[in-house]
Amino acid sequence: MQAENGNKIKTRLFRVSEENFDAVLDEAAEIIRRGGTVAFPTETVYGLGANGLDPAAVRKIFEAKERPPGNPLSLLVHSGDDAGKVAKNIPEKAFRLMDAFWPGPLTIVLEKKEIVPEITSGNLPSIGLRMPDHRIPLELVKRAGTPLAAPSANLSGKPSPSLAAHVLADLTGRIDAVIDGGGTVIGLESTVVDMTVEPPVVLRPGAVSIAELERVIGRVRPSYDEAVAGTGETVPEKQAGQKFSHYTPDTQVVLVEGDRKRVSEKIGTLLENSRHEGKKVGLLLSNETAGFFASEGLSADEYFLLGSREEPEEAARRLFEGLRALDAKSLDVILADGSFSPSGLGAALLNRLREAASVRYAV
Ligand code: TXA
Ligand code: MG
């Protein structure tokens, strides 16, 4: 088993500060240059980096994460100019996106050059590129002198890490080092837009919204499930590169979306029914829905509050922490509140909640 091999690695933990920044980054870059693996924060989630142009180094990422072969990785670059070293036939619209959103939470899928190994791109002719808005990965790419293959630094099937502690929980003994740079600011993975097709297709929603993309390059098409459960809209076919994206916690997640008052009432009913069946129930709630529960005298076994439904940015930052925390409590079911405002990061937040849920209600 790969995992057993992986578990023998000694994982070093670097706590980065103003004083040791240079020394830590030099050491981490040296690990990358030698073909090793280093996890680090970005503005979205923690990434697990290795030399993206070295197939042996990239293989270590797949082994450490137990990521299914064929699931494409994206590359972190240091600048728009770097993009030209690994991608070809870059459309003019893609340059406009780089100008508008890089550094930032936007992964741009482009035709790949030969130099990008098959294992990195999951045998696809394309590659996702992102210039992160975070000093640590930018310096690491620069000092290592190579684009970094950098998927989220979690075990496959677990939520992406928003804290170094999440990375350590999943990957200790499997990777060479973790740079602890504190919690990630956004908390959800980047928007992924495929620029190899016209009109461009948004493969994964993130902090850069469809409306923001359309202001810069005109029409784009979403390819993920935007539909609210029960509206009769169908889930779009997953495209190449998306077929592995599904993440579901071990505990069953039931999501309730729709009218805010009815969401609270429906979760209340589901809670009472589950408890009558003797189930242990966890609640993933907005503050407002939690307030309604308190006023109704309803209680569950475990709670995680994501913040106000009017502040999806805060809820997004806390989502993966909440799912991890509740998933670790040996519950029978997690009832999740889908009443968050869909503005700003709300659309991406709801997308991740839908991905995590195995049952969805629209009320
Ligand atoms: O915010 C982020 O993007 C984080 C940080 C660490 O940079 N990274 C991340 O990587 O979420 P990962 O591998 O977990 O997700 C990358 C997504 C996947 O859904 C992958 O399938 C898609 O991008 N992707 C990568 N290359 C692709 C390609 N050539 N065609 C289609 N999708 C691609
Ligand atoms: Mg991931």
Side-chain angles (χ1 to χ4, degrees), residues 44 47 67 71-72 124 126-128 130 150-152 189-190 203-204 241:
T44 58
R67 186 171 173 108
N71 189 356
L124 292 174
S126 56
I127 186 74
R130 181 165 102 81
S152 49
E189 309 88 341
S190 61
L203 300 175
R204 178 173 75 184

Side-chain angles (χ1 to χ4, degrees), residues 10-55:
K10 177 163 168 22
T11 302
R12 299 178 62 190
L13 174 61
F14 298 117
R15 287 209 173 77
V16 77
S17 66
E18 234 11 89
E19 292 71 46
N20 69 8
F21 184 87
D22 246 340
V24 166
L25 267 289
D26 275 342
E27 272 204 71
E30 181 60 23
I31 295 172
I32 297 288
R33 276 197 302 271
R34 292 206 188 128
T37 48
V38 179
F40 47 79
T42 78
E43 81 279 35
T44 58
V45 297
Y46 272 74
L48 176 60
N51 181 348
L53 305 184
D54 173 356

Side-chain angles (χ1 to χ4, degrees), residues 152-155 157-162 166 170 189 247 249 319-321 323-324 327:
S152 49
N154 50 282
L155 279 175
K158 295 274 183 193
S160 294
S162 47
H166 300 159
D170 281 11
E189 309 88 341
Y247 144 67
L319 175 68
F320 289 144
E321 188 184 347
L323 284 170
R324 276 180 182 263
D327 205 18

Side-chain angles (χ1 to χ4, degrees), residues 192-244:
V192 180
V193 61
D194 184 353
M195 297 304 293
T196 68
V197 289
E198 187 56 46
V201 171
V202 177
L203 300 175
R204 178 173 75 184
V208 176
S209 69
I210 294 223
E212 285 175 296
L213 292 173
E214 289 192 327
R215 269 200 289 279
V216 177
I217 56 167
R219 193 166 98 79
V220 298
R221 244 169 4 105
S223 91
Y224 50 89
D225 181 9
E226 268 200 315
V228 172
T231 58
E233 290 184 56
T234 53
V235 179
E237 280 285 308
K238 296 244 169 184
Q239 304 209 337
Q242 276 191 301
K243 56 186 170 185
F244 300 101

